[in-house]
Amino acid sequence: MPTVNVFYRNSAHENALSALAGGPLQERVAEELTCPEIKLATDEVSVRLLRALGKGMLAPVEMDIIAADFPERVERQDEICRNVRQFVLGQIPELYDAKIWLSLNELGHNET
């Protein structure tokens, strides 16, 4: 199951990010990460909103997407990040920047 950690520093973006995380972002990430080896459903993507303290962020919103390293994802990793970034900026017009990172790993998981 892919996870998306959404870090934000301005509480003014909280409502818009919460609405986005509750479905549209899950949907978009599932579409971007779907590949011949696996078709992801929206409810298979976990999105977490985390308010960041301090001033060390590079953008008002940063996202870490963590998923398994299927070959097509590796080939498209920059495109996936660009597409998710454009989607987020298009959904939240007052957001002037977002940084997206895709971490592709061999993942384990539990079913319980």
Side-chain angles (χ1 to χ4, degrees), residues 7-42:
F7 300 93
Y8 64 97
R9 60 179 175 212
N10 186 339
S11 59
H13 296 126
E14 190 170 339
N15 288 339
L17 287 169
S18 183
L20 193 63
L25 182 59
Q26 284 176 301
E27 207 171 288
R28 184 55 182 252
V29 170
E31 288 172 11
E32 291 293 334
L33 295 178
T34 288
C35 53
E37 294 87 357
I38 188 167
K39 180 174 179 3
L40 288 173
T42 300

Side-chain angles (χ1 to χ4, degrees), residues 7-11 50-62 96:
F7 300 93
Y8 64 97
R9 60 179 175 212
N10 186 339
S11 59
L50 303 154
R51 183 149 188 249
L53 303 176
K55 299 181 182 196
M57 290 180 55
L58 301 175
V61 171
E62 298 181 11
Y96 67 88

Side-chain angles (χ1 to χ4, degrees), residues 68-87:
D69 63 344
F70 292 106
E72 183 176 299
R73 290 178 183 167
V74 172
E75 291 173 19
R76 294 187 55 240
Q77 58 190 327
D78 290 339
E79 178 186 349
I80 291 168
C81 290
R82 278 191 305 271
N83 290 346
V84 171
R85 180 179 185 274
Q86 288 173 343
F87 173 76

